[in-house]
Amino acid sequence: MASKAFDMIVIGAGPGGYVAAIRGAQLGLNVAIVEREHMGGICLNWGCIPTKALLRSSEVFHLMHRAKEFGLKADGIGYDLDAVVKRSRGVAKQLNGGVGHLLKKHKVTAIMGEASVPAEGKVSVKTEKGTEELTSKHIVLATGARARELPGLEADGDLVWTYKHALVPPRMPKKLLVIGSGAIGIEFASFYNTLGADTTVVEVMDRVLPVEDAEISAFAKKAFVKQGMTIMEKAMVKQLDRGKGKVTAHIEVGGKVEKHDFDTVISAVGIVGNVEGLGLEDLGVKIDRSHVVTDEYCRAGVDGLYAIGDIAGAPWLAHKASHEGVMVAELIAGGHPHPVKPEAIAGCTYCHPQVASVGMTEAKAKDAGYKIKVGRFPFIGNGKAIALGEPEGLVKTIFDAKTGELLGAHMIGAEVTELIQGYVVGRQLETTEEDLMNTVFPHPTLSEMMHESVLEAYGRAIHI
Ligand SMILES: Cc1cc2nc3c(=O)[nH]c(=O)nc-3n(C[C@H](O)[C@H](O)[C@H](O)COP(=O)(O)OP(=O)(O)OC[C@H]3O[C@@H](n4cnc5c(N)ncnc54)[C@H](O)[C@@H]3O)c2cc1C
């Protein structure tokens, strides 16, 4: 069969791949995208979106328990786990269909099958009907990542789950162990704990949410413990003994090994890039710890080959993948896009309370040699937060004392995942403390705390 030629071929239709394909098509390129499983990738089907749908259910459940505080009555509060999961799957399905529609609208050729790159400029796709050969000068790898499995702690879908099992649980855990307190682990811990599971989180580092500012981690831990979670830091799960309906976890903490029983374990110990089976070794592509090594323009060291999103390494976030997709499509179409700067990418965790941050932590800014000014503003000082019944939280800002550059912003509390973008825009526009202080924030909003935090860094906060 003759091979089909395209201007650009994208492998993987997650938020990196499908966005790259659409942007390429917008720029007049003849684009093909190959996907082996589901349009929208992990993000839409097994990641960002279905988790947020689950967390919304647990948030509403939590609020229903607080009905009396708001002068409301809610009796017989309960949940139907199957219905909660059904809603989450429905949301994912709706968006998955939307991606297919968008690709069609932009006249992108979508091929369902498993792709590999047998040689420079060539893509081979195994489809249900046989093998299709495609050619293009530009091939974009956007094959994403999957859950990392540690020896002895592998998921079995029954007692030990990965995020995929945790999104479609066979039962409601009664006694749950979550291994790993990164965004994925903490979001599931938050969801199941809110619905009533007796939840323990084990983190090998010295604090939960270890990539966040230490003050935010400490705040988060306090909130989680108040909600009934057990948090074990500087602790490592060494072994899981699987019995009938029971797992005994051997947890090393403080130099001793403790044994604890659980009925369910969620392993959230990171992810590994989907680099296998693509033919990358034969092409001479460099792989570092399961990720393709790229330059700042996502070029993978072989003529016309690019890698974007999770397969290209941290931060493993959908918006990073999409932005790299746009950048690469523009590059291929002959444009001169700016490279994606990892430090400009905000991270959000949708646990309760939410956590969001961008830029350097206080420790990193100090390590980098900056003389800094730090502003803090607590939710308790904000009218809207009190009116919402959400008085717990903190907005922390870090400035370069010399230039006034906003080096980092760190937030914990209600809706901070929506607020953080204000600081991201500010940093993109290279704003200084002066611009932020002179900006008028609407009242009453949670965003006023972003203003106050900046004012506080310069000794000018009004409401504390
Ligand atoms: C539980 C969970 C929650 C998350 N929550 C968030 C969040 O709130 N916010 C956020 O920003 N990020 C979140 N993430 C991370 C986010 O999902 C990823 O960063 C994002 O999906 C990466 O996009 P991608 O396009 O690089 O890869 P993916 O979304 O993984 O897509 C890759 C696609 O490539 C396909 N593929 C792989 N190999 C081949 C092949 N050989 N041939 C054809 N197709 C192939 C796969 O089937 C897949 O569809 C979460 C992840 C998880 C697991």
Side-chain angles (χ1 to χ4, degrees):
M1 206 204 299
S3 58
K4 291 184 199 154
F6 294 90
D7 298 326
M8 170 178 167
I9 301 171
V10 183
I11 304 178
Y18 85 76
V19 170
I22 290 174
R23 184 69 190 124
Q26 282 175 346
L27 292 167
L29 302 177
N30 178 20
V31 183
I33 189 163
V34 187
E35 169 56 51
R36 69 179 174 193
E37 207 178 343
H38 37 212
M39 292 297 169
I42 291 297
C43 172
L44 263 60
N45 298 281
W46 296 104
C48 327
I49 299 297
T51 48
K52 267 78 261 180
L54 291 184
L55 283 157
R56 175 70 173 150
S57 290
S58 62
E59 186 185 3
V60 174
F61 181 69
H62 169 73
L63 279 174
M64 285 167 79
H65 280 283
R66 293 178 56 196
K68 214 172 155 197
E69 261 181 62
F70 296 93
L72 306 172
K73 283 185 187 162
D75 298 324
I77 303 160
Y79 61 84
D80 171 349
L81 188 62
D82 288 344
V84 168
V85 171
K86 196 170 163 209
R87 175 176 179 275
S88 163
R89 298 321 301 159
V91 171
K93 190 159 178 249
Q94 184 180 340
L95 289 164
N96 159 292
V99 170
H101 169 76
L102 286 173
L103 290 169
K104 209 166 171 184
K105 183 179 145 196
H106 287 89
K107 300 193 172 48
V108 172
T109 302
I111 303 169
M112 290 309 290
E114 173 110 24
S116 61
V117 187
E120 265 181 50
K122 291 202 164 92
V123 172
S124 184
V125 188
K126 277 190 205 140
T127 71
E128 272 183 2
K129 291 185 190 147
T131 304
E132 275 194 50
E133 305 296 342
L134 317 176
T135 59
S136 176
K137 271 193 191 163
H138 304 285
I139 298 169
V140 182
L141 305 169
T143 55
R146 60 185 183 276
R148 186 165 153 221
E149 304 240 43
L150 296 179
L153 313 185
E154 293 94 348
D156 53 40
D158 176 23
L159 296 170
V160 184
W161 301 349
T162 63
Y163 60 80
K164 276 203 180 176
H165 306 115
L167 277 163
V168 284
R171 62 175 179 279
M172 175 65 196
K174 287 194 178 69
K175 212 160 178 302
L176 171 69
L177 168 65
V178 178
I179 311 176
S181 77
I184 294 175
I186 280 296
E187 286 186 6
F188 282 117
S190 203
F191 170 72
Y192 284 110
N193 187 66
T194 304
L195 290 192
D198 176 0
T199 305
T200 298
V201 178
V202 171
E203 170 56 55
V204 74
M205 306 295 278
D206 61 350
R207 56 200 172 84
V208 287
L209 295 166
V211 299
E212 300 297 342
D213 188 275
E215 215 170 327
I216 300 295
S217 291
F219 200 112
K221 179 183 175 184
K222 218 167 143 190
F224 299 150
V225 169
K226 202 167 147 196
Q227 291 163 22
M229 277 190 217
T230 302
I231 305 283
M232 298 173 78
E233 293 161 335
K234 284 199 216 162
M236 189 187 260
V237 178
K238 305 291 277 185
Q239 189 179 325
L240 294 176
D241 296 338
R242 301 164 206 230
K244 211 164 178 270
K246 187 181 93 169
V247 184
T248 304
H250 299 231
I251 306 170
E252 189 178 284
V253 59
K256 282 192 207 135
V257 176
E258 297 177 4
K259 287 188 196 175
H260 296 273
D261 290 343
F262 301 92
D263 62 63
T264 309
V265 178
I266 297 176
S267 173
V269 291
I271 58 162
V272 289
N274 293 325
V275 291
E276 304 84 356
L278 289 162
L280 299 184
E281 303 78 6
D282 295 341
L283 285 172
V285 173
K286 270 197 205 140
I287 313 271
D288 179 23
R289 281 164 293 163
S290 88
H291 293 97
V292 172
V293 177
T294 60
D295 68 7
E296 57 179 351
Y297 287 102
C298 296
R299 290 179 292 218
V302 171
D303 256 4
L305 190 71
Y306 309 80
I308 61 171
D310 279 5
I311 190 185
W316 298 282
L317 294 167
H319 40 294
K320 176 251 191 190
S322 296
H323 209 80
E324 287 181 343
V326 168
M327 193 230 6
V328 158
E330 291 183 352
L331 203 63
I332 292 171
H336 302 282
H338 295 292
V340 180
K341 292 184 251 158
E343 69 276 12
I345 297 167
C348 297
T349 306
Y350 300 75
C351 47
H352 181 75
Q354 294 183 359
V355 172
S357 61
V358 65
M360 288 186 207
T361 61
E362 184 174 346
K364 278 212 174 121
K366 282 181 181 158
D367 285 351
Y370 286 100
K371 202 164 169 294
I372 55 172
K373 277 190 183 290
V374 179
R376 291 178 185 82
F377 194 83
F379 271 51
I380 192 75
N382 176 265
K384 179 75 180 288
I386 294 170
L388 289 177
E390 298 286 354
E392 278 178 34
L394 175 72
V395 178
K396 176 173 176 178
T397 43
I398 298 159
F399 290 90
D400 179 349
K402 214 157 122 196
T403 63
E405 181 189 351
L406 177 62
L407 297 173
H410 306 273
M411 309 162 112
I412 183 163
E415 300 307 334
V416 296
T417 56
E418 293 294 336
L419 296 180
I420 193 70
Q421 191 60 8
Y423 286 136
V424 178
V425 172
R427 277 166 52 86
Q428 177 70 15
L429 301 176
E430 296 179 0
T431 186
T432 62
E433 88 291 9
E434 191 73 22
D435 299 319
L436 287 166
M437 285 195 273
N438 288 334
T439 302
V440 183
F441 286 72
H443 174 78
T445 61
L446 297 173
S447 72
E448 286 172 286
M449 290 184 283
M450 297 168 67
H451 194 210
E452 290 272 20
S453 177
V454 176
L455 293 172
E456 209 271 325
Y458 290 85
R460 288 182 43 184
I462 303 292
H463 294 95
I464 40 167

